[in-house]
Amino acid sequence: MTPDIFHPRWRVCLSGVTTLLLVAAQAMPSIAIDLREAIERALGADARLTAGRYEVEAAHGGVIQAGRRPNPEISVELEDFAGTGQYRGAQSATLTISLAQKLELGGKRDARVAVAQGKEEVAHAEIAVLIRDIVTQTKLDYIHVLGAQQRVELLAAAAKRFDDLLPGLRRRVEAGASPPADVSRGELAAGLARVAVDKATSELTNAKRQLVANWAGNLRDAVTVAGRLRHNGHRPAALQVLLANIDDHPAVRAWTAVYAQRRGELTLQSATAIPDLTLSGGVSRLFETDDTSFRLSGSIPLPIHDRNEGGIIEAERRLAKTTYDRNATRRQITRKIIEAYAEFEGACIEASRLLESILPTARRATENVQSSFQQGRLGVKDLLDAHRDQYGAEVQQLDADIRCHSAAAKVEALAARNPFQHGWETVTRRQ
């Protein structure tokens, strides 16, 4: 017997099953997103890239059209009819049908193709620049998320250390070994640490929002972001090595395409000064004598008033300007590399020194103060200060690490080269 799915009991069951499926779907863990996937999503969703691809297609259409020759022209002429006397009616009329073709001289078609191809190459170069900008921005946002995740972990661990101190402080107060103010101091330190955790958690949420905004996603897309900031102690590449790659930057390479385009424009303007020849051939029919004759003609403009001097001068100056524009772009990128490298080098040195020497010292100091406190040689203020110093050093090291990785991403985008020697990796990818 087939069940009646419209029966009230079936509707209740279906409603319950649907609710369970929705709850289960919400409870399912999201797959951790890594840097590669974040970049792929950002590239796939950016409308500027789609617009750029349409521009490339439009420029390619211009290349096709630039290679076309002028269309031939057909003309029909009827004369010597509907007049007076012997020209009354159409008995003495003459019908002429002719075909004319303009012949472009001076290499105009090749010059047009060169200009169009240059525009197409410029459109490609603009996409390359845009892709690099999107990748860099996504990488920076991704690094900030990783840093924010690690800051939450670090502050949560610091808050736990302060919380773990409170039971011991309360026991000392109960035993009369410490004044009640010591507990208040401990509670204040723990409370401030928890406030810092809440603030860091809020900053992490905002960092994730910024990351998913690169592909118009929502926070569910970045519930878990894979990877950690790593400082492996690799040495930075020399600044001069990075500066040697400036010509590989798409913004600089684009001027090569612009130069080709403007050189084609100069050729085209020079060719425009050469007049084109138009040849025409046809056949005439004389109705009066019932005869047929052929005709051939040609015409060419006389370059007396217009030799296109202005167009040639304009094209020459724009072509000469290209070299200076390219040099200006190289100088701008050089300056940006130097600025980013200074930030990169300073932050990485700070992060390295803090990681290798300051943090171990801070942890040993905390352990020593903890031991002295338990032996009664130091007070609660000394203990809390030691934990705060360790916490401050850890936060400073993490902030320096974030700045190191962010500056490295900027340098890499500008110099088209990994700024670290020996294969530095900015983030780890999920297996």
Side-chain angles (χ1 to χ4, degrees), residues 11-50:
R11 287 202 297 268
V12 171
C13 291
L14 290 173
S15 177
V17 171
T18 303
T19 302
L20 289 175
L21 290 175
L22 291 174
V23 172
Q26 294 175 355
M28 288 178 62
S30 300
I31 298 176
I33 187 172
D34 62 6
L35 178 58
R36 184 181 66 177
E37 184 175 354
I39 290 175
E40 288 176 353
R41 291 190 181 191
L43 291 174
D46 199 295
R48 294 173 297 173
L49 279 181
T50 303

Side-chain angles (χ1 to χ4, degrees), residues 311-325:
I312 294 174
I313 292 174
E314 179 183 2
E316 286 177 342
R317 298 303 181 267
R318 290 190 184 280
L319 179 62
K321 177 175 176 287
T322 306
T323 300
Y324 297 95
D325 287 335

Side-chain angles (χ1 to χ4, degrees), residues 126-155:
E126 290 174 349
I127 287 183
V129 173
L130 181 57
I131 287 175
R132 182 168 293 199
D133 291 342
I134 295 171
V135 170
T136 301
Q137 185 58 58
T138 305
K139 185 179 291 188
L140 289 173
D141 293 337
Y142 189 87
I143 289 171
H144 291 159
V145 171
L146 294 184
Q149 288 181 165
Q150 291 178 223
R151 182 179 284 109
V152 170
E153 295 173 4
L154 188 155
L155 296 179

Side-chain angles (χ1 to χ4, degrees), residues 371-390:
S371 176
S372 298
F373 172 77
Q374 293 172 350
Q375 297 172 12
R377 295 200 299 269
L378 293 175
V380 171
K381 183 178 182 303
D382 299 314
L383 179 62
L384 296 177
D385 286 344
H387 280 280
R388 274 193 288 262
D389 290 342
Q390 177 183 341

Side-chain angles (χ1 to χ4, degrees), residues 195-262:
V195 169
V197 172
D198 293 339
K199 179 184 177 182
T201 303
S202 175
E203 291 173 347
L204 172 59
T205 301
N206 290 328
K208 287 183 176 181
R209 287 195 182 102
Q210 191 66 40
L211 175 62
V212 299
N214 288 293
W215 59 83
N218 52 58
L219 280 178
R220 183 169 177 79
D221 294 335
V223 172
T224 305
V225 178
R228 294 185 67 83
L229 301 180
R230 300 185 350 179
H231 192 91
N232 297 337
H234 294 312
R235 293 181 295 106
L239 177 59
Q240 293 304 319
V241 174
L242 300 176
L243 292 176
N245 295 317
I246 289 179
D247 291 337
D248 292 332
H249 195 282
V252 178
R253 292 203 307 267
W255 286 110
T256 302
V258 173
Y259 185 86
Q261 175 188 343
R262 292 180 178 176

Side-chain angles (χ1 to χ4, degrees), residues 157-202:
K160 185 178 185 305
R161 289 198 298 268
F162 284 117
D163 286 337
D164 292 343
L165 294 176
L166 292 177
L169 296 179
R170 293 191 180 99
R171 287 193 297 269
R172 288 173 64 92
V173 170
E174 293 172 357
S178 296
D182 287 350
V183 174
S184 299
R185 286 177 175 173
E187 290 174 344
L188 175 61
L192 291 175
R194 286 192 292 271
V195 169
V197 172
D198 293 339
K199 179 184 177 182
T201 303
S202 175

Side-chain angles (χ1 to χ4, degrees), residues 263-291:
R263 185 175 56 188
E265 290 172 350
L266 175 59
T267 304
L268 180 58
Q269 293 299 328
S270 300
T272 302
I274 301 174
D276 296 328
L277 173 65
T278 301
L279 295 178
S280 176
V283 61
S284 296
R285 178 67 176 173
L286 286 71
F287 292 100
E288 184 178 9
T289 60
D290 198 23
D291 292 326

